[in-house]
Amino acid sequence: MSSPEHKEKVWDLIRHIKTGMLTTLHGEELRARPMHLVQDEYDGTLWFFTDLESEKVFEVENDSDVCVAFADTHDDTYVSMTGVGRIVKDKALIDKFWNPFIGAWFPDGKGSPNVGLIEIKIQKGEYWNSDTSKMVSFFKMAKANAKDETPNMGEHEKFGTS
């Protein structure tokens, strides 16, 4: 698991992005689809609403190893996390995370028997975060290329268990 500092850093990076690409295994193929975070804090677990009859539910139940990747190309922020997913039908958690945005995807409301959650316990991850402008980044790449070096493009760190 990652340290409290890494959890805080990861949350600072992903909370504004909100939408991550969830990758699951479909037979022998990897499949990814956008999923919207529903939580207000990060403690090492990610939460997403799902239709319990969707393919991703069967994929997670068949192979619980998943990856979630977040990208904000405007701010050059990228986060990739792997973990173990499971399907949750807990009504108290559904009530806790329910919001009007989610309601748009479930016209029968949160009481519908098809409403569920995907819980992902993050085991490890990696992030990249550049705090420089595109022009400065371009200059760093050109300078490093001229010197046959690797450019320093900002923060990059791995976290969690290996």
Side-chain angles (χ1 to χ4, degrees):
M1 294 297 131
S2 62
S3 70
E5 295 80 20
H6 279 122
K7 290 175 185 172
E8 183 177 340
K9 177 66 178 182
V10 166
W11 185 242
D12 284 344
L13 294 172
I14 68 173
R15 72 175 160 195
H16 300 294
I17 300 172
K18 282 292 194 194
T19 301
M21 293 297 291
L22 172 65
T23 303
T24 57
L25 189 61
H26 179 79
E28 294 183 19
E29 288 180 11
L30 293 173
R31 294 193 59 208
R33 78 275 288 156
M35 300 292 290
H36 189 79
L37 282 173
V38 296
Q39 64 216 61
D40 292 325
E41 59 188 5
Y42 173 71
D43 63 358
T45 302
L46 298 177
W47 293 96
F48 303 99
F49 273 95
T50 188
D51 183 323
L52 294 173
E53 293 183 359
S54 68
E55 284 189 75
K56 67 185 159 296
V57 168
F58 302 110
E59 293 162 2
V60 169
E61 287 175 336
N62 191 47
D63 186 335
S64 61
D65 292 329
V66 299
C67 177
V68 182
F70 297 86
D72 181 344
T73 59
H74 180 72
D75 289 332
D76 287 323
T77 300
Y78 307 91
V79 181
S80 177
M81 297 183 279
T82 57
V84 176
R86 76 179 183 105
I87 306 306
V88 176
K89 302 172 189 174
D90 184 313
K91 295 297 182 192
L93 286 172
I94 290 169
D95 286 342
K96 175 182 176 180
F97 293 125
W98 190 263
N99 64 58
F101 177 81
I102 299 303
W105 293 98
F106 296 95
D108 293 333
K110 62 184 173 183
S112 168
N114 290 346
V115 174
L117 292 159
I118 298 176
E119 172 193 52
I120 301 172
K121 296 278 189 184
I122 299 302
Q123 295 177 325
K124 60 183 173 178
E126 191 167 4
Y127 64 83
W128 301 260
N129 186 28
S130 175
D131 57 0
T132 59
S133 70
K134 298 280 186 206
M135 184 58 96
V136 172
S137 295
F138 178 75
F139 175 76
K140 285 181 178 182
M141 287 187 288
K143 181 179 169 186
N145 190 38
K147 293 183 174 187
D148 199 26
E149 298 173 347
T150 302
N152 178 354
M153 302 304 292
E155 290 181 275
H156 171 234
E157 190 168 358
K158 294 180 180 182
F159 59 90
T161 58
S162 50

